[in-house]
Amino acid sequence: MKIIHIVAGGPEKLVPDLSEYQDENIIWVGVDKGVQMIIGAGLRPDIAVGDFDSILEDEWKRIERLVPSLRKFKPEKDETDMELAIMWALEMNPTSVRIFGGTGGRLDHFMANALMLGKYKQENPNVTFELIDVQNILSVHLPGGYDVKGDEERKFISFIPIFSDVYGLTLKGFKYPLNNHHVPTGSSLCISNELIHETGHFSFEKGILMMIRSKD
C-alpha cells in the first residue's frame, strides 16, 4: 500500500493532530503553508508543492533546509497548489490520498478541493480519496456497493450527489433506509443519516456520490 497525505494551509484549528495519522507507509506532501504544519507536528515532509507566495523569507529558508524535494511554481498558473499536489500524488500510483487543511477559510478553495476529489476519482477509480478535518471525513464513491463501519465520534452520515443525479441508491442498516432510490443533484434527502447497527451498507447504480461523516 502507498498512502499519500497532502497537508494544505487551511485554518490550523481545523487540522487534526497529524501525528495520529503517521506510519511507515505514509508519504507527506506539504502544500504552501501546509508544509509548516507537517514540520510543526514533528513529522518530515517528503515534498513541498506550491507557489509559496504566503511564505516569509526566513520560513522558506527553513523549508529548503528540512524538505528533501521542492516543487515551486509561479503564482500565475492554471491549477491551484492543491491540484498540483494531487497531480503529483497520482504520479506515485498511490492506493489512498488523504487531504488535510483543505477545509474552512476560503469557501472557493474548499469547494474546489471537494469537487476535485470527484474529478480525480473518476479518472483513478482504484484510489481512495478523503478530505479530513477535526469534524468531518469526506470521501467520494463510484457506482457499486460499500460497507460502512460505525464511528461513535462521527455518527452523522450524509450522502450528496455531485456532478449529476444518483440512481438506484440503497441504504441498509441506516436509521433512514432507502431502496433503489433516485436522488437528484441538490437534494437534501440524504443529509444527516445514522447507522443503527455496527455496520451499514450503501450501493448505487449510476452517478458519483460524496459521503460525509460528521460530528456536532
Side-chain angles (χ1 to χ4, degrees), residues 15-152:
V15 178
D17 183 353
L18 297 177
S19 65
E20 296 181 358
Y21 291 85
Q22 168 67 344
D23 68 35
E24 60 185 12
N25 294 318
I26 302 298
I27 296 173
W28 289 94
V29 182
V31 178
D32 204 74
K33 279 195 170 183
V35 68
Q36 295 178 292
M37 292 190 201
I38 299 174
I39 294 170
L43 304 171
R44 180 183 177 183
D46 295 282
I47 184 171
V49 178
D51 54 36
F52 302 101
D53 58 353
S54 60
I55 298 293
L56 301 176
E57 184 176 352
D58 59 332
E59 295 172 334
W60 177 247
K61 290 180 179 179
R62 184 184 185 215
I63 291 169
E64 286 185 308
R65 187 175 70 253
L66 296 177
V67 183
S69 180
L70 299 172
R71 288 197 172 190
K72 190 173 184 180
F73 298 85
K74 294 181 179 179
E76 298 80 15
K77 56 189 183 302
D78 292 334
E79 299 85 5
T80 63
D81 291 344
M82 174 61 76
E83 185 161 19
L84 291 169
I86 293 174
M87 292 166 64
W88 178 89
L90 292 172
E91 292 175 3
M92 301 298 105
N93 297 314
T95 53
S96 177
V97 175
R98 294 178 179 141
I99 297 171
F100 306 87
T103 63
R106 285 181 54 172
L107 190 57
D108 55 345
H109 285 179
F110 165 68
M111 290 296 294
N113 293 339
L115 294 176
M116 267 194 291
L117 297 193
K119 169 191 171 182
Y120 285 108
K121 180 65 176 180
Q122 292 180 86
E123 298 173 359
N124 303 270
N126 295 324
V127 179
T128 299
F129 292 91
E130 293 179 311
L131 182 59
I132 301 172
D133 65 22
V134 294
Q135 192 171 0
N136 312 279
I137 298 177
L138 183 156
S139 57
V140 289
H141 303 271
L142 301 179
Y146 304 87
D147 291 326
V148 183
K149 293 183 179 180
D151 183 338
E152 291 184 4

Side-chain angles (χ1 to χ4, degrees), residues 135-138 148-159 174-176 190-195 211-216:
Q135 192 171 0
N136 312 279
I137 298 177
L138 183 156
V148 183
K149 293 183 179 180
D151 183 338
E152 291 184 4
E153 185 177 18
R154 296 180 178 89
K155 66 178 183 177
F156 301 109
I157 305 176
S158 297
F159 297 97
F174 286 82
K175 183 176 181 179
Y176 306 108
C190 298
I191 298 297
S192 201
N193 210 332
E194 299 178 45
L195 290 174
M211 180 175 72
I212 303 176
R213 307 194 67 165
S214 304
K215 64 179 179 181
D216 281 332

Side-chain angles (χ1 to χ4, degrees), residues 137-205:
I137 298 177
L138 183 156
S139 57
V140 289
H141 303 271
L142 301 179
Y146 304 87
D147 291 326
V148 183
K149 293 183 179 180
D151 183 338
E152 291 184 4
E153 185 177 18
R154 296 180 178 89
K155 66 178 183 177
F156 301 109
I157 305 176
S158 297
F159 297 97
I160 301 172
I162 58 174
F163 305 147
S164 63
D165 294 2
V166 162
Y167 295 87
L169 179 60
T170 296
L171 304 178
K172 296 180 179 180
F174 286 82
K175 183 176 181 179
Y176 306 108
L178 288 176
N179 183 40
N180 195 32
H181 203 85
H182 167 216
V183 185
T185 305
S187 170
S188 63
L189 175 67
C190 298
I191 298 297
S192 201
N193 210 332
E194 299 178 45
L195 290 174
I196 56 174
H197 303 295
E198 290 185 3
T199 302
H201 185 85
F202 71 94
S203 62
F204 61 105
E205 298 172 358

